[in-house]
Amino acid sequence: MRPVVRASMSPDVFAMLFDSPRLARLAELACVAEPLLLDPDDTSSIDDTEVLITSWGAPRLDKAMLDKMPRLRAVLHAAGTVQGLVSDDLWERRVLVTTAADANAIPVAEFTFASVILAFKRVFTHMQQPAEMKGRWAELRNESSYGSLGRTVGVVGFSRIGRRVVSMLQQLENVQVLVADPMVDPAEVAAAGAVLMPLSEMLPRVDVLTVHAPSLASTYQMIGATELAALPDGATLINTARGALIDHDALLFECRTGRLDAILDVTDPEPLPADSELYRLPNVAITPHVAGSLGTEVRRLADSALDDLASLVEGNTPDHVVAHHDLRLSA
């Protein structure tokens, strides 16, 4: 029997995620309630809701919200983290929760891989000061600090994104990949083509350091003054995870001297104050949190939720279930 399904997210997000083919698939899998998209200000009854598809802009599923949906048995989150969505009341009611975080990891890993390639040739720095490089192009052929061959990339966090980055880096010739993550098995990292080691041992060895750890109390500013100082001259720091993982004052100190480059898709705070010196440094590239799913990429998130819905309808356990106890280790 097909479940009654509703959606909870911002209207603009819903329009991006659910185009005509995906709405048609939803109608094939479930009984689409009317209205499909919940309006927080609408007092109409939604007590027949059995499955709720959520995404950015959905309200927290607290007791008051859950009391309106006594038949709710599954929440399919068509986005990444569910931290701001779930509540103790939701877990107590044993509602199944899934996430599209795996789908969202794809563009972040792609962005990171591209950034690593560009970092090997300091592309962002050259883009920001083309006049200064005019006439010097021939000199760069003899710069031993350029190029990917024989380089080392450090990956902090063997997360769903970190794993994808490690996999993508295997395409590069003679590039060593190191991983720092105290929670994983060395054999698992080795099977992916990388070497697991403590962060303190990794830092002096890398040409590029890319961060993919969760934002937790224990990881706050985990890349601070000591860690940044341990990086070799000319290294590049890439952060597509959370801004709070990096001590930005310490990063400014190192980048101001020109010793390190940085590619930051996330910052702390986000966005940075308009007068932040990091904006003005030629060796710092700041993008507006674009690594995650944007534009057409967000349809992967809808597809992930619909795949999980199909599993439920077939009587199977969805592939992307979120366990309550795992949330303490995720962003």
Side-chain angles (χ1 to χ4, degrees):
M1 186 172 180
R2 297 188 304 161
V4 176
V5 64
R6 284 189 167 85
S8 178
M9 62 193 74
S10 300
D12 56 336
V13 172
F14 181 82
M16 287 194 303
L17 266 67
F18 289 95
D19 56 3
S20 296
R22 287 163 179 83
L23 285 174
R25 186 184 179 198
L26 178 62
E28 291 175 0
L29 292 170
C31 296
V32 178
E34 181 63 38
L36 170 57
L37 183 62
L38 296 184
D39 179 350
D41 298 324
D42 190 343
T43 59
S44 301
S45 174
I46 56 173
D47 61 3
D48 58 345
T49 306
E50 296 173 277
V51 175
L52 187 67
I53 299 177
T54 59
S55 188
W56 300 303
R60 187 172 179 82
L61 297 176
D62 55 15
K63 183 179 184 303
M65 187 69 176
L66 293 169
D67 284 346
K68 298 178 182 179
M69 297 179 286
R71 301 182 190 177
L72 184 68
R73 58 188 178 94
V75 174
L76 313 179
H77 193 50
T81 179
V82 300
Q83 288 281 21
L85 179 72
V86 298
S87 66
D88 289 341
D89 292 287
L90 184 68
W91 297 119
E92 289 171 3
R93 298 182 190 213
R94 300 186 180 278
V95 174
L96 181 141
V97 179
T98 71
T99 175
D102 282 341
N104 193 49
I106 296 172
V108 181
E110 291 173 344
F111 181 98
T112 302
F113 179 63
S115 296
V116 171
I117 299 297
L118 297 177
F120 285 140
K121 297 192 176 181
R122 301 196 72 200
V123 168
F124 289 107
T125 294
H126 296 320
M127 289 175 64
Q128 294 188 73
Q129 48 181 2
E132 294 183 22
M133 299 308 299
K134 187 177 181 181
R136 292 188 53 207
W137 297 339
E139 299 175 23
L140 298 181
R141 287 198 296 267
N142 300 319
E143 280 281 353
S144 61
S145 61
Y146 282 71
S148 61
L149 199 66
R151 300 301 179 193
T152 300
V153 179
V155 178
V156 180
F158 201 55
S159 59
R160 54 172 54 91
I161 297 171
R163 292 166 193 258
R164 286 184 178 275
V165 172
V166 169
S167 177
M168 290 179 174
L169 290 171
Q170 304 310 305
Q171 302 172 62
L172 304 181
E173 181 182 358
N174 194 22
V175 169
Q176 184 180 36
V177 183
L178 308 178
V179 169
D181 189 326
M183 305 301 294
V184 299
D185 183 348
E188 188 178 0
V189 175
V195 178
L196 184 68
M197 63 176 55
L199 180 62
S200 60
E201 293 182 23
M202 171 204 284
L203 294 172
R205 302 175 55 174
V206 304
D207 300 289
V208 176
L209 184 73
T210 178
V211 183
H212 304 287
S215 182
L216 308 169
S218 59
T219 60
Y220 178 71
Q221 295 191 355
M222 65 180 298
I223 307 299
T226 300
E227 290 74 25
L228 293 168
L231 290 169
D233 291 354
T236 299
L237 170 71
I238 300 172
N239 189 12
T240 57
R242 292 290 187 270
L245 300 174
I246 311 296
D247 181 338
H248 284 61
D249 290 337
L251 181 63
L252 174 60
F253 174 83
E254 294 288 356
C255 292
R256 184 188 284 146
T257 67
R259 200 181 74 79
L260 299 180
D261 291 351
I263 300 171
L264 307 175
D265 188 55
V266 290
T267 58
D268 185 28
E270 190 172 271
L272 290 172
D275 61 352
S276 173
E277 188 180 343
L278 286 169
Y279 284 126
R280 303 191 298 275
L281 294 178
N283 54 329
V284 177
I286 299 176
T287 51
H289 206 141
V290 297
S293 298
L294 294 176
T296 58
E297 295 167 338
V298 303
R299 292 173 188 159
R300 284 196 190 106
L301 310 182
D303 289 338
S304 177
L306 289 171
D307 288 345
D308 288 339
L309 177 60
S311 294
L312 285 174
V313 171
E314 294 166 1
N316 300 320
T317 301
D319 289 335
H320 310 110
V321 174
V322 178
H324 186 190
H325 58 80
D326 288 341
L327 285 183
R328 62 185 178 86
L329 298 177
S330 63

